[in-house]
Amino acid sequence: EPEVTQTPSHQVTQMGQEVILRCVPISNHLYFYWYRQILGQKVEFLVSFYNNEISEKSEIFDDQFSVERPDGSNFTLKIRSTKLEDSAMYFCASSWTSGQPNPSTDTQYFGPGTRLTVL
Amino acid sequence: GENVEQHPSTLSVQEGDSAVIKCTYSDSASNYFPWYKQELGKRPQLIIDIRSNVGEKKDQRIAVTLNKTAKHFSLHITETQPEDSAVYFCAARGYQKVTFGTGTKLQVIP
């Protein structure tokens, strides 16, 4: 069964450095998402991406964050100048459709996550 | 924006007993309610979902109910097994953004 993959599994960085987290969504999916989960807390939506542009974003997704689909397979999250509070697990997700009444086509499938540690 | 409340935060049951987790949501535009199971250090895994045009859905030992009027939805696990032990998240979605509840740590005691 196809799965979302993410690299690296763990990233350690110094405060103020830029990081890029990478995701390979399921191949025929059209909608892509980033979520984060601070240790012991709930999963929080960051951004959704469709047709090469951001379609929805949360208040967490400020100017320090950006997303890109640089080629036909990868979907990346960049944090320009990391802060201590950016330390979290970052999950990528993808779906075929979104907001449609058709069962299963808009289910979001999550990747295994990248644990980001900012020192 | 959407706000999802989830109770209880922790739940311990004896193996074979039932477990019930309850959630409420605030945005009447939400129309899709997935439930995720997350084991320690792993990704959230979809276990069941329900849409706003359905009041109840069952899949083997797992069932979900939805009361649109009251904006309540619940997860019911019957005949619990030790492997059901995990953190369970309810969630609500309108268009694309999925808003998660705060999670319930379920412990099934053998």
Side-chain angles (χ1 to χ4, degrees), chain A residues 37 48 55 98 106 108 110, chain B residues 38 43 51 93 95-96 101:
Chain A
Q37 186 177 31
S48 59
S55 47
S98 184
D106 59 355
Q108 295 183 18
F110 282 73
Chain B
Q38 187 178 34
R43 77 186 81 189
R51 293 170 197 271
R93 193 205 68 200
Y95 176 48
Q96 293 182 4

Side-chain angles (χ1 to χ4, degrees), chain B residues 59-106:
Chain B
D59 183 4
Q60 299 183 343
R61 296 187 296 109
I62 297 173
V64 289
T65 58
L66 171 65
N67 182 330
K68 280 178 54 181
T69 303
K71 298 196 186 73
H72 289 174
F73 58 116
S74 301
L75 176 72
H76 303 250
I77 306 174
T78 58
E79 299 172 28
T80 53
Q81 300 166 3
E83 52 265 37
D84 294 330
S85 296
V87 178
Y88 291 80
F89 291 97
C90 63
R93 193 205 68 200
Y95 176 48
Q96 293 182 4
K97 173 184 175 181
V98 175
T99 302
F100 284 77
T102 47
T104 296
K105 185 175 182 180
L106 174 64

Side-chain angles (χ1 to χ4, degrees), chain A residues 4 26 29 31-35 43-49 55-56 91-99 103-111, chain B residues 32 34-36 43-47 49 51 91-100:
Chain A
V4 177
I26 294 173
H29 283 185
Y31 292 80
F32 315 111
Y33 315 85
W34 283 101
Y35 292 84
V43 178
E44 299 174 290
F45 171 82
L46 293 178
V47 65
S48 59
F49 191 85
S55 47
E56 195 171 357
F91 292 104
C92 172
S94 69
S95 64
W96 184 22
T97 61
S98 184
S104 80
T105 60
D106 59 355
T107 298
Q108 295 183 18
Y109 294 91
F110 282 73
Chain B
Y32 172 66
W35 285 86
Y36 288 88
R43 77 186 81 189
Q45 294 269 19
L46 180 74
I47 55 171
D49 56 16
R51 293 170 197 271
R93 193 205 68 200
Y95 176 48
Q96 293 182 4
K97 173 184 175 181
V98 175
T99 302
F100 284 77

